[in-house]
Amino acid sequence: MGLVVALHHVNVTVLPDAEAATKNFYGNVLGLEQLAKPSGTRPSGAWYQIGPNQLHLSVEKEERKPHSTGHVCFTVSDLRAAQTRFREAGVEIIPDPRPIEGTSRFYVRDPGGNMLEIVQA
């Protein structure tokens, strides 16, 4: 058995001017459950629960490499419904640049520029 037994959380970062829009994106567009952050953590950003895992949103003061291909992948039960929800929220759908046989997916970027892969369950 390997050392790692589970994924606890993924951290995405945004610049301060994108914090509010990115919180809206994860909380309202994706519908993730926002958690109360533990005392002792930075007041900025947010933590979200996704099943047994978490997504942590951190605010950084320095710009990172724009349009990185680093990403978080979310599984959805209905890919078409997800596309519709993103379009209705004004989020650009990025077609799969490297299709994999038997896998239906697309990409989006959150308001902070973080890439998300959206894949059909």
Side-chain angles (χ1 to χ4, degrees):
M1 183 165 135
L3 177 66
V4 177
V5 296
L7 176 67
H8 182 272
H9 74 270
V10 172
N11 187 77
V12 296
T13 61
V14 298
L15 293 173
D17 62 349
E19 180 180 7
T22 306
K23 284 180 175 179
N24 180 64
F25 178 84
Y26 286 107
N28 294 322
V29 177
L30 268 62
L32 301 183
E33 173 192 357
Q34 186 170 346
L35 304 172
K37 291 175 65 175
S39 63
T41 61
R42 293 186 208 173
S44 62
W47 289 11
Y48 300 93
Q49 192 70 43
I50 309 168
N53 303 308
Q54 294 178 6
L55 182 135
H56 294 182
L57 173 65
S58 295
V59 178
E60 299 290 339
K61 293 181 179 163
E62 295 181 21
E63 184 116 18
R64 67 188 175 294
K65 179 181 166 187
H67 302 295
S68 167
T69 59
H71 65 277
V72 176
C73 181
F74 291 118
T75 300
V76 297
S77 59
D78 185 335
L79 199 66
R80 287 186 192 273
Q83 285 178 329
T84 298
R85 187 161 182 170
F86 283 119
R87 283 192 180 107
E88 288 173 353
V91 177
E92 178 188 0
I93 304 295
I94 303 165
D96 186 354
R98 294 169 303 284
I100 298 172
E101 188 176 331
T103 301
S104 297
R105 64 185 182 174
F106 62 88
Y107 295 83
V108 297
R109 288 195 182 271
D110 72 16
N114 297 291
M115 182 177 276
L116 306 178
E117 178 181 343
I118 310 298
V119 66
Q120 175 75 42

